[in-house]
Amino acid sequence: MFDYDAILNSLLNPNLNKQQLAKLIGTQSTQFTSERTKLKNNYSDEDLISAYTSFYFPTNALKLEFLTQNLSDEQISAISKTHILDIGTGPGTYVFSASELFPDALSFTGIDESKLMLKQANKLNDEYFKNSKIGFSESLPLVDDAPRTIIFGNSINEMGMPAAFKIIKRYKPKFIICIEPGTKEVFKDLLALRKKLLLIDYKIQYPCMGQGSCPLQNMDDWCHQSIKTTLDYELESLSQVAKLDRKVMPATIHFYSFDEEATSTESSDKARLVRLKRNVKHAYLWEVCTSENKVITLEVPKKLFKKKMLKQLDGISSGLEVSYTVAKELENDTFRVKDIEIEID
Ligand SMILES: C[S@@+](CC[C@H](N)C(=O)[O-])C[C@H]1O[C@@H](n2cnc3c(N)ncnc32)[C@H](O)[C@@H]1O
């Protein structure tokens, strides 16, 4: 998506070598996953911010691209008529990503409480992106009637769901995009936010196919997306030195619109792929969530696909939409399908 060399040249400390970056990324990764009380340490000096920017910025940015691949042209055009506000922007991850994916949007503003992250974001814009519609700030804008899309990118997870909900209630954005870590804990938090948003007239447009309660809410299970990437050679090599895989990135991605903007995709034979449950000789068993918010299993015969397609389906990503026709109801909420459509790219 971005020119990786240009990013490396615009790091707050562009003199760190691959080994130094990988070591810092390793320390950060531990703090993100197991030492969460020390999270703020991750943003405490220019070297750590540079490491974050060299690794998480270009890879996280791809998650917004994944979401847009699952939105309709109408939804993309409606987002393009708003001001985009990225809260917890870090080095500008979703501001820069949005500026490429929604180039006609009215403006792009990144908000962050970390001065160093903002310094890094401004450096990237001054030296590489050079986009005058982009700005960064430590404080939220004045509340007014401007049409907005608010993006929370790995930040609800840090500020807490109640703080994010408070911001949403203040600004009443037309669209809300949450891109958070793909963990069970975060999923539960985002489900609580989903419940609150549906009560104040937001409609969930992705990944749920319907507006009912989530079938996983009282279960020890969670719904997330697995995003497959092809990385720049240097970035791939950095991920190998850091021993952190970014070829498949789990994420919890939710997209809402305020009710009048709803462009609902509800349909009885459409569903969202939750996971590939089993891959047996003659069929795939796909767990999907339907427009009635029910989790069912589709038995998809392999004979429905060409050989080349089967290779891709063996490593299919969660979060894609499928349209199908049922041939036969089997046991345990399992349905054999007679035809199926799925868009992989
Ligand atoms: C993990 S980083 C994510 C950066 C970027 N959005 C991304 O996904 O690559 C989380 C960012 O949220 C910021 N943050 C956390 N709590 C915040 C708050 N209450 N207000 C503003 N920014 C916050 C942190 O300073 C940090 O830069």
Side-chain angles (χ1 to χ4, degrees):
M1 187 175 209
F2 304 137
D3 173 349
Y4 191 56
D5 281 343
I7 294 173
L8 291 179
N9 288 333
S10 296
L11 296 180
L12 285 181
N13 181 355
N15 301 317
L16 294 166
N17 64 32
K18 197 182 292 171
Q19 272 65 30
Q20 291 169 315
L21 287 172
K23 196 164 174 222
L24 292 164
I25 293 162
T27 311
Q28 274 177 332
S29 167
T30 317
Q31 275 164 191
F32 279 132
T33 47
S34 50
E35 297 174 19
R36 294 196 57 80
T37 47
K38 295 186 195 155
L39 255 186
K40 290 218 164 135
N41 293 354
N42 268 348
Y43 318 128
S44 59
D45 70 48
E46 298 204 352
D47 285 0
L48 282 162
I49 301 279
S50 300
Y52 186 93
T53 308
S54 72
F55 191 61
Y56 292 104
F57 164 53
T59 48
N60 278 347
L62 300 171
K63 298 174 185 170
L64 185 61
E65 188 176 29
F66 173 87
L67 173 66
T68 58
Q69 286 160 356
N70 285 282
L71 298 183
S72 65
D73 291 347
E74 291 76 32
Q75 287 168 322
I76 290 178
S77 132
I79 294 172
S80 300
K81 294 190 181 98
T82 65
H83 294 273
I84 295 183
L85 193 58
D86 176 19
I87 299 180
T89 190
T93 308
Y94 294 110
V95 157
F96 293 123
S97 175
S99 73
E100 309 247 306
L101 298 163
F102 311 103
D104 299 329
L106 305 176
S107 66
F108 306 89
T109 309
I111 308 291
D112 207 287
E113 62 180 15
S114 155
K115 283 193 173 59
L116 282 179
M117 279 292 194
L118 295 179
K119 187 174 171 193
Q120 174 66 80
N122 276 311
K123 188 169 188 212
L124 281 165
N125 199 30
D126 293 345
E127 295 179 5
Y128 168 31
F129 292 96
K130 300 186 169 108
N131 185 336
S132 59
K133 282 206 280 182
I134 292 178
F136 294 98
S137 169
E138 241 179 291
S139 45
L140 285 158
L142 293 174
V143 179
D144 56 23
D145 289 338
R148 289 197 169 86
T149 296
I150 293 192
I151 304 179
F152 294 98
N154 301 299
S155 58
I156 294 184
N157 159 52
E158 292 193 14
M159 70 178 68
M161 188 279 280
F165 184 63
K166 222 167 154 181
I167 295 174
I168 292 169
K169 281 223 310 215
R170 256 172 83 196
Y171 289 94
K172 298 193 186 71
K174 282 185 176 261
F175 301 102
I176 306 163
I177 296 174
C178 308
I179 305 180
E180 296 287 324
T183 63
K184 200 193 290 186
E185 295 68 38
V186 169
F187 176 66
K188 297 290 171 208
D189 248 9
L190 287 201
L191 262 197
L193 179 64
R194 180 186 188 274
K195 214 168 171 181
K196 281 176 168 289
L197 291 178
L198 297 190
L199 283 175
I200 57 166
D201 292 333
Y202 278 93
K203 290 233 154 64
I204 184 145
Q205 305 284 353
Y206 181 88
C208 312
M209 305 298 289
Q211 304 300 319
S213 52
C214 172
L216 301 182
Q217 69 181 358
N218 297 318
M219 292 167 72
D220 186 29
D221 196 359
W222 76 105
C223 162
H224 66 286
Q225 292 75 45
S226 306
I227 298 145
K228 299 208 164 63
T229 61
T230 335
L231 302 179
D232 176 280
Y233 174 78
E234 273 304 313
L235 184 50
E236 174 69 43
S237 153
L238 177 60
S239 90
Q240 279 169 9
V241 181
K243 297 195 180 68
L244 287 167
D245 178 27
R246 298 298 270 176
K247 274 198 198 133
V248 182
M249 298 185 291
T252 311
I253 304 182
H254 288 184
F255 172 60
Y256 297 87
S257 64
F258 194 63
D259 65 349
E260 58 186 0
E261 294 295 330
T263 41
S264 174
T265 51
E266 279 186 37
S267 153
S268 58
D269 62 352
K270 284 195 172 174
R272 184 77 59 196
L273 182 66
V274 177
R275 63 170 67 89
L276 168 65
K277 208 166 150 185
R278 276 181 69 198
N279 182 354
V280 293
K281 199 167 168 209
H282 70 287
Y284 295 109
L285 294 180
W286 288 347
E287 193 168 276
V288 300
C289 192
T290 68
S291 50
E292 287 86 36
N293 297 89
K294 206 168 165 242
V295 174
I296 60 167
T297 303
L298 298 182
E299 185 190 280
V300 186
K302 289 189 177 171
K303 65 177 186 213
L304 295 177
F305 305 104
K306 296 212 168 86
K307 253 203 177 138
K308 205 171 134 203
M309 180 80 170
L310 289 177
K311 271 215 162 131
Q312 287 178 284
L313 292 176
D314 285 348
I316 198 165
S317 293
S318 315
L320 301 180
E321 185 177 299
V322 295
S323 312
Y324 58 93
T325 315
V326 170
K328 190 176 177 196
E329 182 167 356
L330 310 169
E331 291 178 329
N332 302 328
D333 281 333
T334 301
F335 299 82
R336 180 171 303 141
V337 304
K338 61 180 175 196
D339 61 55
I340 189 142
E341 269 178 50
I342 182 157
E343 256 187 57
I344 294 200
D345 285 318

